[in-house]
Amino acid sequence: MPKVYPNETTTEATKIPQHIANRKVKVLTVWKKSLLFNSNGFTVFNTEGKLVFRVDNYQSGTGSKKEIVLMDGTGKCLLTIRRKRLSFADTWVVFDGETSVSPIILVKKPVNFLASKDIAHVISCQSSDGVNSLSSKNLMYEIIGSYAQRCVAVYDNKKRLVAEIQKKEARAGVTFGGDVFQLTVQPEIDQALAMTLVILMEQLFGFR
């Protein structure tokens, strides 16, 4: 199997908007495989082949796990993702570290999912005055595209492209398939948060 690191790829470069063209962009390789034996998750490398993120505990098959932990390369918990109970739509809440209070963001499908180009909305759980809120007025990101096709774009509330999921190709046109793909992260979004959105795309659309 070809190496999965980004420096082994000839994938076409991401088209970067002019307003961020001179800033540093991070390109990560996401492998839908846990480092643990007989477990499901993700392993994520940077361009130097260094392990930067890992997920070892999501459930595949007929359903999704109620709690998922995103860790750094050393196994430290960065973010905890929990499925929101008794919600009308498929909704997930993200917490800082291992805490279970004061969520950071909420991710869900839009109400008019079938009639919209958006496949998910990311809502801030903190209003401008610091009060915990889940109002749609706190929309942080819109996610469009097709996760099944590994073609997803994330836009912030200023309509700036901040992250992309793309297919990855090795040298000589050899493809990796859907289990290895590329995550391009712009400076306007935290890498861990961008990877969290990848995890949630798997939960929302990976079993269909």
Side-chain angles (χ1 to χ4, degrees):
M1 177 179 177
K3 289 184 179 180
V4 299
Y5 310 144
N7 57 335
E8 293 290 333
T9 182
T10 56
T11 301
E12 183 179 354
T14 302
K15 294 181 180 180
I16 306 171
Q18 187 61 41
H19 70 284
I20 55 176
N22 297 322
R23 300 183 186 182
K24 194 169 183 180
V25 178
K26 299 293 184 180
V27 180
L28 305 176
T29 293
V30 181
W31 189 7
K32 204 175 77 170
K33 180 178 177 64
S34 170
L35 292 177
L36 300 181
F37 177 73
N38 199 27
S39 182
N40 298 294
F42 289 98
T43 304
V44 185
F45 302 95
N46 63 14
T47 53
E48 288 76 43
K50 179 182 177 181
L51 177 65
V52 289
F53 299 121
R54 57 185 290 184
V55 177
D56 296 323
N57 67 335
Y58 87 76
Q59 178 179 327
S60 66
T62 59
S64 56
K65 193 173 179 69
K66 293 180 180 179
E67 180 177 293
I68 304 168
V69 175
L70 173 66
M71 299 177 287
D72 66 11
T74 67
K76 178 184 176 181
C77 175
L78 300 176
L79 296 166
T80 299
I81 307 164
R82 291 189 175 93
R83 192 169 190 172
K84 196 172 187 295
R85 297 180 179 179
L86 304 177
S87 59
F88 177 75
D90 199 353
T91 305
W92 294 77
V93 183
V94 179
F95 299 86
D96 185 25
E98 297 180 85
T99 183
S100 60
V101 297
S102 301
I104 301 171
I105 60 169
L106 178 147
V107 179
K108 63 179 181 179
K109 293 178 182 178
V111 175
N112 58 339
F113 169 67
L114 295 178
S116 172
K117 65 178 182 179
D118 296 349
I119 59 174
H121 288 161
V122 181
I123 299 171
S124 172
C125 294
Q126 295 290 328
S127 61
S128 58
D129 57 5
V131 178
N132 191 264
S133 171
L134 297 181
S135 169
S136 60
K137 294 181 180 179
N138 298 325
L139 182 68
M140 292 179 64
Y141 303 107
E142 294 177 273
I143 304 177
I144 67 171
S146 170
Y147 179 71
Q149 298 296 321
R150 302 298 187 260
C151 182
V152 174
V154 181
Y155 292 89
D156 66 11
N157 56 12
K158 296 181 181 179
K159 306 301 181 183
R160 297 178 299 185
L161 178 66
V162 295
E164 289 180 280
I165 297 171
Q166 299 170 305
K167 292 181 179 179
K168 180 180 175 63
E169 294 183 358
R171 291 178 178 174
V174 178
T175 59
F176 287 102
D179 285 348
V180 178
F181 52 94
Q182 180 174 295
L183 173 63
T184 304
V185 184
Q186 305 293 347
E188 288 82 0
I189 187 171
D190 179 73
Q191 289 185 73
L193 179 56
M195 184 57 209
T196 297
L197 299 182
V198 173
I199 297 168
L200 288 170
M201 291 300 97
E202 178 68 26
Q203 298 306 303
L204 292 170
F205 303 105
F207 308 117
R208 288 151 176 81

